Amino acid sequence: YLKSMDEKIILIDGFDRLSQKQRQVLVYMYIYGYSICEISKIFRISRQAVNDIKNRALINLKKFLKS
């Protein structure tokens, strides 16, 4: 869990820098609890594409948080 308001603001800033599709995939997966298979059906893309989008989003967030 995030301990301070500064950590929350930094995470929100990083989230805002993601593409719309990356944000959507992370929200569906981590907020709503959908599986990769369910997300692939919602967006009508392959499971691999969902996984790639998720992985790129997490890499981008990690890079932003390190800077």
Side-chain angles (χ1 to χ4, degrees), residues 26-64:
L26 292 184
V27 167
Y28 275 86
M29 186 169 283
Y30 295 110
I31 304 296
Y32 299 134
Y34 284 74
S35 69
I36 288 176
C37 185
E38 291 169 321
I39 296 168
S40 72
K41 290 177 183 176
I42 291 168
F43 292 115
R44 296 181 180 177
I45 58 177
S46 70
R47 291 186 311 252
Q48 184 61 48
V50 173
N51 200 44
D52 290 345
I53 292 167
K54 177 197 69 146
N55 289 336
R56 280 195 304 272
L58 293 176
I59 287 168
N60 289 340
L61 271 179
K62 195 179 287 187
K63 283 180 185 177
F64 178 77

Side-chain angles (χ1 to χ4, degrees), residues 7-33:
E7 289 175 335
K8 291 175 186 175
I9 290 170
I10 290 169
L11 183 60
I12 290 169
D13 285 346
F15 195 75
D16 285 343
R17 292 174 187 254
L18 299 176
S19 71
Q20 180 181 359
K21 187 69 78 177
Q22 289 173 333
R23 287 192 304 269
Q24 289 173 323
V25 166
L26 292 184
V27 167
Y28 275 86
M29 186 169 283
Y30 295 110
I31 304 296
Y32 299 134

